[in-house]
Amino acid sequence: MVQNQTGTDQPTRERLKKKQQPSNQETGNPEHKSERRLRAYSTRRVPIIVRVLIVLALIVVALIVGAMVGYATFGGGEAMDVLKLDTWTRITDFWMKS
């Protein structure tokens, strides 16, 4: 439940921010405002596109490892056979005949 704090002495987030940020009139330095504006638009350490590519790469690796483990345990074959094209043609032929 949110209470109205206008009449109380308890600081709100907005009041604390106003106290922490000096205004341009107090400093008298116009460069301070541009410096603050540059900091507000800082670059990301890892761009979003790179994050998406990393996630996609991890998904592909997880699928390959899962196929290797599944083929080795349930299929009774070698785990590295999953990476061969002949194995996948045999699997798709099995699906089509069923």
Side-chain angles (χ1 to χ4, degrees):
M1 187 163 136
V2 178
Q3 296 178 353
N4 188 2
Q5 296 179 350
T6 55
T8 64
D9 291 333
Q10 296 177 351
T12 61
R13 281 186 237 163
E14 291 82 15
R15 289 181 194 159
L16 289 174
K17 285 180 185 178
K18 285 180 184 177
K19 286 181 183 177
Q20 290 175 356
Q21 296 176 350
S23 66
N24 286 339
Q25 295 172 354
E26 293 174 0
T27 59
N29 189 0
E31 294 175 3
H32 179 69
K33 184 177 181 181
S34 64
E35 181 181 335
R36 188 176 73 215
R37 185 175 294 153
L38 288 176
R39 276 192 240 149
Y41 297 108
S42 64
T43 59
R44 296 178 185 262
R45 289 186 183 169
V46 180
I48 293 174
I49 294 173
V50 175
R51 290 180 192 180
V52 170
L53 292 175
I54 290 171
V55 169
L56 289 176
L58 289 175
I59 289 172
V60 168
V61 168
L63 286 174
I64 291 172
V65 169
M68 291 173 78
V69 169
Y71 189 73
T73 57
F74 298 122
E78 292 287 324
M80 294 305 288
D81 287 344
V82 171
L83 302 177
K84 294 180 181 176
L85 184 62
D86 295 335
T87 305
W88 288 103
T89 54
R90 218 172 56 223
I91 291 171
T92 55
D93 289 344
F94 177 75
W95 285 341
M96 296 300 174
K97 291 179 183 177
S98 296

